[in-house]
Short mmCIF file of all heavy atoms in Angstrom, two decimals:
data_model
loop_
_atom_site.label_atom_id
_atom_site.label_comp_id
_atom_site.label_asym_id
_atom_site.label_seq_id
_atom_site.Cartn_x
_atom_site.Cartn_y
_atom_site.Cartn_z
N GLU A 58 -15.12 -1.46 17.90
CA GLU A 58 -16.10 -0.40 18.15
C GLU A 58 -15.41 0.67 19.06
O GLU A 58 -15.98 1.82 19.08
CB GLU A 58 -17.27 -0.89 18.85
CG GLU A 58 -18.03 -1.91 18.01
CD GLU A 58 -18.52 -1.34 16.72
OE1 GLU A 58 -19.09 -0.20 16.70
OE2 GLU A 58 -18.37 -2.08 15.70
N LEU A 59 -14.25 0.48 19.61
CA LEU A 59 -13.64 1.54 20.44
C LEU A 59 -13.08 2.69 19.53
O LEU A 59 -12.66 2.45 18.41
CB LEU A 59 -12.51 0.84 21.25
CG LEU A 59 -12.84 -0.17 22.29
CD1 LEU A 59 -11.60 -0.79 22.93
CD2 LEU A 59 -13.75 0.43 23.37
N ASN A 60 -13.07 3.84 20.14
CA ASN A 60 -12.41 4.97 19.41
C ASN A 60 -10.93 4.72 19.16
O ASN A 60 -10.39 5.27 18.20
CB ASN A 60 -12.60 6.30 20.21
CG ASN A 60 -14.09 6.77 20.19
OD1 ASN A 60 -14.81 6.47 19.20
ND2 ASN A 60 -14.41 7.63 21.07
N SER A 61 -10.33 3.95 19.98
CA SER A 61 -8.85 3.75 19.86
C SER A 61 -8.53 2.52 18.97
O SER A 61 -7.38 2.07 18.85
CB SER A 61 -8.19 3.58 21.27
OG SER A 61 -8.82 2.45 21.91
N ALA A 62 -9.63 1.93 18.33
CA ALA A 62 -9.39 0.78 17.57
C ALA A 62 -8.46 0.97 16.33
O ALA A 62 -8.43 2.12 15.83
CB ALA A 62 -10.76 0.25 17.09
N ILE A 63 -7.78 0.00 15.98
CA ILE A 63 -6.88 0.03 14.73
C ILE A 63 -7.79 0.22 13.65
O ILE A 63 -8.78 -0.58 13.42
CB ILE A 63 -6.07 -1.20 14.68
CG1 ILE A 63 -5.21 -1.33 15.89
CG2 ILE A 63 -5.14 -1.18 13.44
CD1 ILE A 63 -4.47 -2.67 16.04
N ASP A 64 -7.49 1.07 12.65
CA ASP A 64 -8.26 1.28 11.47
C ASP A 64 -7.36 1.78 10.26
O ASP A 64 -6.73 2.80 10.42
CB ASP A 64 -9.40 2.25 11.73
CG ASP A 64 -10.40 2.25 10.56
OD1 ASP A 64 -10.46 1.26 9.74
OD2 ASP A 64 -11.18 3.29 10.55
N PHE A 65 -7.18 0.90 9.26
CA PHE A 65 -6.29 1.30 8.18
C PHE A 65 -6.83 0.68 6.87
O PHE A 65 -7.57 -0.34 7.04
CB PHE A 65 -4.85 0.98 8.48
CG PHE A 65 -4.68 -0.50 8.67
CD1 PHE A 65 -4.35 -1.32 7.62
CD2 PHE A 65 -4.72 -0.99 9.92
CE1 PHE A 65 -4.05 -2.65 7.82
CE2 PHE A 65 -4.42 -2.38 10.24
CZ PHE A 65 -4.18 -3.20 9.14
N GLY A 66 -6.39 1.20 5.80
CA GLY A 66 -6.79 0.67 4.46
C GLY A 66 -5.87 -0.56 4.22
O GLY A 66 -6.31 -1.61 3.80
N SER A 67 -4.63 -0.22 4.14
CA SER A 67 -3.57 -1.21 4.06
C SER A 67 -2.17 -0.70 4.48
O SER A 67 -2.07 0.50 4.67
CB SER A 67 -3.44 -1.67 2.52
OG SER A 67 -3.04 -0.64 1.79
N ILE A 68 -1.23 -1.54 4.69
CA ILE A 68 0.11 -1.11 5.08
C ILE A 68 1.00 -1.78 4.15
O ILE A 68 1.04 -3.02 3.86
CB ILE A 68 0.44 -1.67 6.50
CG1 ILE A 68 -0.58 -0.95 7.50
CG2 ILE A 68 1.78 -1.23 6.85
CD1 ILE A 68 -0.49 -1.49 8.90
N ALA A 69 1.84 -0.91 3.45
CA ALA A 69 2.78 -1.42 2.50
C ALA A 69 4.27 -1.22 3.03
O ALA A 69 4.61 -0.20 3.49
CB ALA A 69 2.66 -0.67 1.17
N VAL A 70 4.95 -2.24 2.99
CA VAL A 70 6.40 -2.33 3.44
C VAL A 70 7.37 -2.34 2.37
O VAL A 70 7.23 -3.27 1.48
CB VAL A 70 6.55 -3.48 4.47
CG1 VAL A 70 8.00 -3.56 4.93
CG2 VAL A 70 5.53 -3.39 5.60
N TYR A 71 8.26 -1.46 2.36
CA TYR A 71 9.31 -1.40 1.25
C TYR A 71 10.65 -1.58 1.92
O TYR A 71 11.03 -1.07 2.89
CB TYR A 71 9.35 -0.02 0.61
CG TYR A 71 8.11 0.20 -0.24
CD1 TYR A 71 6.86 0.65 0.42
CD2 TYR A 71 8.04 0.02 -1.60
CE1 TYR A 71 5.75 0.86 -0.26
CE2 TYR A 71 6.94 0.18 -2.37
CZ TYR A 71 5.77 0.64 -1.69
OH TYR A 71 4.67 0.90 -2.46
N THR A 72 11.56 -2.43 1.23
CA THR A 72 12.88 -2.78 1.83
C THR A 72 13.91 -2.51 0.74
O THR A 72 13.71 -2.25 -0.41
CB THR A 72 12.97 -4.32 2.21
OG1 THR A 72 12.66 -5.07 1.11
CG2 THR A 72 11.88 -4.66 3.21
N CYS A 73 15.17 -2.48 1.21
CA CYS A 73 16.28 -2.17 0.36
C CYS A 73 16.38 -3.23 -0.77
O CYS A 73 16.40 -4.43 -0.52
CB CYS A 73 17.69 -2.26 1.13
SG CYS A 73 19.13 -1.97 0.16
N SER A 74 16.49 -2.73 -2.02
CA SER A 74 16.61 -3.60 -3.25
C SER A 74 17.83 -4.36 -3.28
O SER A 74 17.92 -5.44 -3.91
CB SER A 74 16.36 -2.84 -4.50
OG SER A 74 17.38 -1.78 -4.57
N ARG A 75 18.93 -3.88 -2.62
CA ARG A 75 20.13 -4.62 -2.48
C ARG A 75 20.22 -5.53 -1.19
O ARG A 75 21.22 -6.26 -1.13
CB ARG A 75 21.33 -3.62 -2.38
CG ARG A 75 21.48 -2.87 -3.66
CD ARG A 75 22.81 -1.91 -3.55
NE ARG A 75 22.87 -0.98 -4.62
CZ ARG A 75 23.61 0.09 -4.61
NH1 ARG A 75 24.14 0.47 -3.40
NH2 ARG A 75 23.65 0.86 -5.64
N SER A 76 19.25 -5.45 -0.44
CA SER A 76 19.28 -6.31 0.91
C SER A 76 20.60 -6.06 1.64
O SER A 76 21.13 -6.91 2.18
CB SER A 76 19.05 -7.72 0.60
OG SER A 76 17.74 -7.96 0.03
N CYS A 77 20.92 -4.74 1.69
CA CYS A 77 22.22 -4.46 2.33
C CYS A 77 22.19 -4.78 3.88
O CYS A 77 21.15 -4.74 4.44
CB CYS A 77 22.69 -3.14 2.11
SG CYS A 77 21.64 -1.88 2.98
N ALA A 78 23.27 -5.18 4.42
CA ALA A 78 23.31 -5.58 5.73
C ALA A 78 23.54 -4.32 6.66
O ALA A 78 24.47 -3.64 6.50
CB ALA A 78 24.34 -6.55 6.08
N PRO A 79 22.72 -4.12 7.61
CA PRO A 79 22.92 -3.01 8.59
C PRO A 79 24.09 -3.40 9.53
O PRO A 79 24.34 -4.52 9.73
CB PRO A 79 21.59 -2.88 9.37
CG PRO A 79 21.05 -4.30 9.25
CD PRO A 79 21.48 -4.83 7.96
N PRO A 80 24.73 -2.30 9.91
CA PRO A 80 25.96 -2.49 10.83
C PRO A 80 25.42 -3.00 12.19
O PRO A 80 24.32 -2.62 12.68
CB PRO A 80 26.57 -1.19 10.95
CG PRO A 80 25.55 -0.24 10.65
CD PRO A 80 24.65 -0.92 9.65
N ALA A 81 26.13 -4.03 12.87
CA ALA A 81 25.74 -4.43 14.13
C ALA A 81 26.23 -3.38 15.20
O ALA A 81 26.94 -2.46 14.87
CB ALA A 81 26.42 -5.77 14.40
N SER A 82 25.76 -3.51 16.36
CA SER A 82 26.04 -2.54 17.43
C SER A 82 27.47 -2.56 17.80
O SER A 82 28.04 -1.64 18.43
CB SER A 82 25.22 -2.81 18.59
OG SER A 82 25.32 -4.05 19.14
N ASP A 83 28.18 -3.73 17.45
CA ASP A 83 29.65 -3.83 17.92
C ASP A 83 30.53 -3.27 16.93
O ASP A 83 31.69 -3.40 16.96
CB ASP A 83 29.99 -5.25 18.32
CG ASP A 83 29.81 -6.22 17.07
OD1 ASP A 83 29.57 -5.74 15.98
OD2 ASP A 83 30.05 -7.37 17.38
N GLY A 84 29.93 -2.62 15.79
CA GLY A 84 30.82 -2.10 14.77
C GLY A 84 31.06 -3.04 13.58
O GLY A 84 31.61 -2.59 12.54
N THR A 85 30.76 -4.33 13.70
CA THR A 85 30.98 -5.29 12.51
C THR A 85 29.75 -5.09 11.56
O THR A 85 28.77 -4.27 11.82
CB THR A 85 30.88 -6.70 13.04
OG1 THR A 85 29.60 -6.98 13.54
CG2 THR A 85 32.00 -6.91 14.03
N ARG A 86 29.80 -5.71 10.47
CA ARG A 86 28.77 -5.69 9.50
C ARG A 86 27.45 -6.38 9.90
O ARG A 86 26.45 -6.40 9.13
CB ARG A 86 29.23 -6.04 8.08
CG ARG A 86 30.24 -5.17 7.50
CD ARG A 86 29.68 -3.77 7.14
NE ARG A 86 28.54 -3.92 6.23
CZ ARG A 86 27.65 -2.98 6.01
NH1 ARG A 86 27.58 -1.98 6.77
NH2 ARG A 86 26.63 -3.11 5.20
N GLY A 87 27.42 -7.06 11.03
CA GLY A 87 26.17 -7.73 11.49
C GLY A 87 25.95 -8.94 10.72
O GLY A 87 24.76 -9.34 10.52
N MET A 88 26.87 -9.69 10.29
CA MET A 88 26.80 -11.00 9.53
C MET A 88 27.21 -12.05 10.33
O MET A 88 28.24 -12.06 11.10
CB MET A 88 27.69 -10.93 8.30
CG MET A 88 27.36 -9.68 7.39
SD MET A 88 25.74 -9.73 6.61
CE MET A 88 25.97 -10.62 5.25
N ASN A 89 26.51 -13.19 10.24
CA ASN A 89 26.79 -14.44 10.96
C ASN A 89 27.62 -15.19 10.12
O ASN A 89 27.93 -14.97 8.89
CB ASN A 89 25.61 -15.06 11.58
CG ASN A 89 24.58 -15.55 10.57
OD1 ASN A 89 24.87 -15.72 9.36
ND2 ASN A 89 23.34 -15.83 10.91
N ALA A 90 27.92 -16.47 10.51
CA ALA A 90 28.76 -17.33 9.80
C ALA A 90 28.29 -17.78 8.43
O ALA A 90 29.08 -17.94 7.39
CB ALA A 90 29.14 -18.57 10.58
N ASP A 91 26.97 -17.78 8.23
CA ASP A 91 26.34 -18.24 6.94
C ASP A 91 26.04 -16.98 6.06
O ASP A 91 25.40 -17.15 5.07
CB ASP A 91 25.15 -19.18 7.13
CG ASP A 91 24.05 -18.58 7.83
OD1 ASP A 91 24.14 -17.32 8.17
OD2 ASP A 91 22.98 -19.22 7.93
N GLY A 92 26.54 -15.82 6.38
CA GLY A 92 26.39 -14.67 5.57
C GLY A 92 25.06 -13.98 5.78
O GLY A 92 24.77 -13.05 5.09
N LYS A 93 24.24 -14.28 6.66
CA LYS A 93 22.98 -13.61 6.99
C LYS A 93 23.15 -12.50 7.96
O LYS A 93 23.84 -12.72 8.99
CB LYS A 93 21.92 -14.73 7.30
CG LYS A 93 21.67 -15.66 6.20
CD LYS A 93 20.44 -16.59 6.47
CE LYS A 93 20.50 -17.59 5.39
NZ LYS A 93 19.32 -17.64 4.67
N SER A 94 22.33 -11.56 7.75
CA SER A 94 22.39 -10.42 8.78
C SER A 94 21.80 -10.81 10.17
O SER A 94 20.82 -11.51 10.21
CB SER A 94 21.64 -9.21 8.25
OG SER A 94 21.57 -8.20 9.05
N GLU A 95 22.48 -10.41 11.18
CA GLU A 95 21.98 -10.52 12.52
C GLU A 95 21.36 -9.26 13.15
O GLU A 95 21.01 -9.24 14.19
CB GLU A 95 23.04 -11.10 13.48
CG GLU A 95 23.50 -12.44 13.11
CD GLU A 95 24.59 -12.99 13.99
OE1 GLU A 95 25.42 -12.14 14.46
OE2 GLU A 95 24.67 -14.21 14.30
N ALA A 96 21.51 -8.09 12.39
CA ALA A 96 21.08 -6.90 12.93
C ALA A 96 19.69 -6.49 12.21
O ALA A 96 19.30 -7.02 11.25
CB ALA A 96 22.05 -5.89 12.53
N TYR A 97 19.02 -5.51 12.85
CA TYR A 97 17.80 -5.05 12.37
C TYR A 97 17.97 -3.76 11.54
O TYR A 97 18.99 -3.04 11.79
CB TYR A 97 16.82 -4.69 13.43
CG TYR A 97 16.25 -5.95 14.24
CD1 TYR A 97 16.88 -6.31 15.48
CD2 TYR A 97 15.36 -6.69 13.65
CE1 TYR A 97 16.35 -7.31 16.09
CE2 TYR A 97 14.84 -7.88 14.40
CZ TYR A 97 15.46 -8.06 15.57
OH TYR A 97 14.94 -9.30 16.22
N ALA A 98 17.18 -3.53 10.52
CA ALA A 98 17.31 -2.33 9.74
C ALA A 98 16.01 -1.65 9.67
O ALA A 98 14.87 -2.21 9.70
CB ALA A 98 17.78 -2.74 8.36
N GLU A 99 16.13 -0.33 9.64
CA GLU A 99 14.90 0.53 9.42
C GLU A 99 14.39 0.56 8.04
O GLU A 99 15.28 0.74 7.08
CB GLU A 99 15.15 1.98 9.94
CG GLU A 99 13.92 2.92 9.90
CD GLU A 99 14.26 4.25 10.24
OE1 GLU A 99 15.01 4.43 11.23
OE2 GLU A 99 13.61 5.20 9.77
N GLU A 100 13.18 0.24 7.77
CA GLU A 100 12.69 0.24 6.35
C GLU A 100 11.64 1.22 6.20
O GLU A 100 11.29 1.96 7.27
CB GLU A 100 12.25 -1.19 6.01
CG GLU A 100 13.31 -2.24 6.09
CD GLU A 100 14.47 -1.98 5.13
OE1 GLU A 100 14.51 -1.08 4.23
OE2 GLU A 100 15.42 -2.87 5.21
N CYS A 101 10.94 1.35 5.04
CA CYS A 101 9.88 2.27 4.90
C CYS A 101 8.48 1.53 4.87
O CYS A 101 8.24 0.60 4.29
CB CYS A 101 10.13 2.95 3.54
SG CYS A 101 8.83 4.17 3.04
N VAL A 102 7.63 2.20 5.69
CA VAL A 102 6.20 1.61 5.81
C VAL A 102 5.29 2.75 5.43
O VAL A 102 5.38 3.80 6.08
CB VAL A 102 6.06 1.08 7.29
CG1 VAL A 102 4.65 0.62 7.45
CG2 VAL A 102 7.01 -0.02 7.67
N LEU A 103 4.39 2.52 4.55
CA LEU A 103 3.40 3.43 4.20
C LEU A 103 1.97 2.86 4.70
O LEU A 103 1.59 1.79 4.29
CB LEU A 103 3.28 3.71 2.66
CG LEU A 103 4.57 4.23 2.10
CD1 LEU A 103 4.42 4.44 0.58
CD2 LEU A 103 4.98 5.59 2.73
N VAL A 104 1.22 3.73 5.46
CA VAL A 104 0.05 3.27 5.94
C VAL A 104 -1.03 4.07 5.12
O VAL A 104 -1.06 5.33 5.07
CB VAL A 104 -0.19 3.63 7.48
CG1 VAL A 104 -1.57 3.21 7.90
CG2 VAL A 104 0.85 2.90 8.22
N HIS A 105 -1.79 3.41 4.47
CA HIS A 105 -2.91 3.96 3.53
C HIS A 105 -4.21 4.02 4.56
O HIS A 105 -4.58 3.09 5.18
CB HIS A 105 -3.22 3.08 2.42
CG HIS A 105 -2.00 3.07 1.47
ND1 HIS A 105 -1.27 1.83 1.35
CD2 HIS A 105 -1.37 3.89 0.71
CE1 HIS A 105 -0.37 1.99 0.64
NE2 HIS A 105 -0.27 3.27 0.17
N PRO A 106 -4.95 5.10 4.44
CA PRO A 106 -6.21 5.28 5.15
C PRO A 106 -7.22 4.40 4.84
O PRO A 106 -7.33 3.91 3.62
CB PRO A 106 -6.49 6.70 5.08
CG PRO A 106 -5.95 7.17 3.78
CD PRO A 106 -4.70 6.31 3.60
N PRO A 107 -8.14 4.12 5.68
CA PRO A 107 -9.39 3.22 5.25
C PRO A 107 -10.11 4.02 4.16
O PRO A 107 -10.17 5.20 4.14
CB PRO A 107 -10.13 3.03 6.53
CG PRO A 107 -9.67 4.11 7.49
CD PRO A 107 -8.29 4.46 7.03
N LEU A 108 -10.85 3.23 3.38
CA LEU A 108 -11.71 3.88 2.32
C LEU A 108 -12.88 4.73 2.94
O LEU A 108 -13.32 5.65 2.23
CB LEU A 108 -12.41 2.84 1.43
CG LEU A 108 -11.25 2.04 0.64
CD1 LEU A 108 -11.95 0.93 -0.16
CD2 LEU A 108 -10.54 2.97 -0.37
N ASN A 109 -13.26 4.37 4.16
CA ASN A 109 -14.48 5.14 4.83
C ASN A 109 -13.96 6.35 5.57
O ASN A 109 -14.74 6.85 6.32
CB ASN A 109 -15.31 4.22 5.65
CG ASN A 109 -14.52 3.56 6.68
OD1 ASN A 109 -13.32 3.73 6.78
ND2 ASN A 109 -15.28 2.83 7.53
#
Side-chain angles (χ1 to χ4, degrees):
E58 298 300 317
L59 295 174
N60 287 338
S61 61
I63 300 169
D64 194 16
F65 59 91
S67 67
I68 299 171
V70 178
Y71 293 81
T72 61
C73 177
S74 60
R75 291 185 190 156
S76 296
C77 68
S82 60
D83 64 2
T85 65
R86 288 295 301 157
M88 305 295 272
N89 61 20
D91 63 359
K93 298 191 187 238
S94 176
E95 293 181 327
Y97 292 101
E99 181 178 329
E100 299 296 356
C101 180
V102 177
L103 299 180
V104 179
H105 300 106
L108 294 177
N109 60 355

